[in-house]
Amino acid sequence: MADASGGGMHIDPMYQFAIKEIVPIHLGGLNLSFTNSALWSFYAVGATILLFSFAMRGGALVPDRVQSVAEGFYGFVRNMVRDAAGDEGLKYFPYIFTIFLFVFFANMLGMLPYSFTVTSHLAVTGALALAVFVTVTAIGFKKHGTHFFSFFVPKDAPGWLKPILAVIEVISYFVRPLSHSVRLAANMVAGHAMLKVFAGFAAAMGVAGVLPMLGMLGVTALEFLVCAIQAYVFAILTAIYLNDALHMH
Amino acid sequence: MATPAHAAAEQSAGMPQLDFSTYPAQIFWAAVALFVLYRYLSRRAIPQMEAALAARHEAIGGSLEAAAAARREAEQAEADYQKSLAEARARAQATLAEAKAKSDAALAARLAEADASIAQKTAAGEARIAEIRASAETDVRSVASEAAAAILERFLPGQADAAEVSRAVEDGLAGLKRS
């Protein structure tokens, strides 16, 4: 809404996703400027560290409310990893926990007015998804060697069908990081843009703007839900991909 | 350098997400943030969490164990109580049986005593009866002999032999006794 100047009719719902440089940094030809995206990444990390260090300050036997929340996060993600990838997958729990908390807090902080949603950018979610993809594939090859290629060949399929299925399997495998990252970013963009559009209506309709305001109330609640669910989905898909690499089909 | 990212975002009013010039900066700083978060979680938060959960697990286990011990103790006390109760009952039964036996014995002794004294008295009575009967018989014999002798004297004077008479009386009495 920052650019809703002059009568408030000109509202660009995508403006909230604009990258703004705060501290320009250029290394060679590379632009590594500290931007609002970087700032809100660190806010998300800071919020996580704040929550956990405050929650575990005593490490009390009987947890207080904050500690219960932190233990809830821990238990939830840990169980999710174990359910999806087995006890072997628990070795990678810290990584998945990091991903989950980062995405969760980035999504949630994105709900603040005038904030920036780090996970609404394909650059970040794509990099995360690619990192997961590369790591998981490396784990698969390290654990199973070249035998990991059999992952792409369904065992029970008739012989003549196997090459076709293998091609499909390979394509679907390489599409994983794309769907993994686009799902999260698109959810964030769509929800936040919709909120902005509704807010524009509210501003433009005067007294009747109460109606879109009421609609926004519901959509905001829904957005909070989507923020949590998308963090969960991103993390559980990571765990499932890990499980595929560890145990194949 | 006039920030191409900003410029692109303002110009196109389209998708800032598709402005690839901002990608390196975004990815770089997101990676830095993620690395910081990973270090914090793996070095501090997760070990702290695990320690707290382990301590709780241990405490709960300890409490459960204490509860189980208390339960065992209570069960032992109950068993002891039942045992002493049974012992006391047995002792009471024994005392009762002993008392009963004693009183039975006393009663039997008294009964025997009474029986003995009754028997003694009976015997004494019988003896006296026998004595009386014997003396009565003797008296009857002598009276009968005398009467018989006197009767003989009257009818056959001087011919009565005392011995003969007494023998005849004796026979007669024996006949009487027999019938």
Side-chain angles (χ1 to χ4, degrees):
Chain A
M1 263 180 280
D3 62 339
S5 53
M9 282 311 291
H10 170 65
I11 292 163
D12 177 7
M14 301 312 276
Y15 178 74
Q16 59 178 321
F17 304 118
I19 301 283
K20 293 171 202 155
E21 290 182 3
I22 296 170
V23 182
I25 301 168
H26 295 274
L27 287 177
L30 216 55
N31 179 2
L32 293 181
S33 302
F34 192 86
T35 62
N36 52 350
S37 167
L39 182 67
W40 285 94
S41 294
F42 281 107
Y43 280 160
V45 169
T48 314
I49 292 177
L50 215 63
L51 169 70
F52 273 81
S53 50
F54 185 69
M56 302 310 294
R57 69 198 180 282
L61 214 57
V62 178
D64 59 9
R65 266 173 284 184
V66 186
Q67 193 179 337
S68 295
V69 170
E71 284 176 5
F73 275 116
Y74 173 87
F76 177 72
V77 178
R78 197 182 150 85
N79 285 342
M80 184 192 78
V81 172
R82 197 177 38 213
D83 289 348
D87 287 331
E88 238 179 311
L90 279 183
K91 204 169 80 180
Y92 305 98
F93 162 69
Y95 299 98
I96 295 175
F97 198 33
T98 304
I99 290 172
F100 174 80
L101 288 173
F102 181 76
V103 173
F104 183 87
F105 279 93
N107 288 355
M108 283 299 176
L109 289 179
M111 291 302 292
L112 291 173
Y114 300 106
S115 71
F116 177 85
T117 315
V118 179
T119 42
S120 67
H121 273 261
L122 212 51
V124 172
T125 62
L128 259 179
L130 265 178
V132 168
F133 177 78
V134 170
T135 311
V136 158
T137 308
I139 289 169
F141 275 110
K142 196 181 163 211
K143 186 155 193 294
H144 302 290
T146 51
H147 186 63
F148 187 62
F149 283 117
S150 71
F151 178 74
F152 301 112
V153 186
K155 278 189 280 292
D156 309 326
W160 60 271
L161 208 56
K162 273 185 180 172
I164 304 165
L165 287 176
V167 170
I168 294 170
E169 286 282 335
V170 168
I171 291 171
S172 77
Y173 189 79
F174 281 95
V175 166
R176 272 178 177 185
L178 193 68
S179 63
H180 199 188
S181 57
V182 169
R183 181 181 296 110
L184 174 58
N187 266 289
M188 290 302 109
V189 170
H192 286 57
M194 184 165 69
L195 277 179
K196 193 54 62 87
V197 170
F198 265 85
F201 287 162
M205 285 166 72
V207 181
V210 174
L211 289 175
M213 283 283 274
L214 286 176
M216 269 184 76
L217 201 67
V219 175
T220 305
L222 192 72
E223 262 310 282
F224 274 111
L225 189 70
V226 168
C227 285
I229 287 176
Q230 286 306 318
Y232 169 68
V233 166
F234 198 90
I236 199 165
L237 280 173
T238 305
I240 288 169
Y241 296 159
L242 177 66
N243 180 52
D244 282 346
L246 287 174
H247 305 115
M248 315 246 282
H249 285 285
Chain B
M1 193 167 174
T3 62
H6 203 159
E10 278 179 347
Q11 276 167 18
S12 68
M15 293 279 284
Q17 283 86 351
L18 298 179
D19 179 0
F20 294 105
S21 67
T22 64
Y23 272 35
Q26 282 194 68
I27 294 168
F28 174 73
W29 289 108
V32 172
L34 275 166
F35 179 72
V36 170
L37 183 59
Y38 171 73
R39 286 292 282 238
Y40 169 72
L41 288 175
S42 61
R43 295 283 168 92
R44 280 191 67 81
I46 292 174
Q48 274 178 339
M49 191 74 76
E50 274 168 358
L53 291 179
R56 184 173 312 151
H57 193 76
E58 207 163 286
I60 290 172
S63 299
L64 282 177
E65 209 154 282
R71 189 200 162 91
R72 274 198 298 279
E73 216 165 278
E75 276 170 353
Q76 183 63 45
E78 157 99 28
D80 285 352
Y81 164 74
Q82 290 291 359
K83 199 175 146 202
S84 63
L85 191 68
E87 258 167 30
R89 195 169 279 154
R91 217 160 33 229
Q93 292 282 3
T95 312
L96 191 65
E98 199 180 318
K100 198 171 171 210
K102 218 181 262 177
S103 75
D104 278 358
L107 185 65
R110 292 271 292 281
L111 272 175
E113 211 173 286
D115 279 351
S117 88
I118 286 166
Q120 199 182 342
K121 278 179 184 159
T122 309
E126 275 173 356
R128 271 196 57 204
I129 288 167
E131 201 176 297
I132 289 165
R133 179 178 284 161
S135 80
E137 265 175 26
T138 322
D139 288 353
V140 166
R141 196 167 289 135
S142 68
V143 168
S145 302
E146 271 168 28
I151 291 164
L152 273 178
E153 225 9 83
R154 187 76 54 88
F155 288 106
L156 301 167
Q159 284 188 14
D161 182 1
E164 195 83 3
V165 169
S166 120
R167 199 158 40 82
V169 167
E170 216 47 75
D171 286 349
L173 278 175
L176 263 178
K177 254 188 189 164
R178 219 175 292 125
S179 64

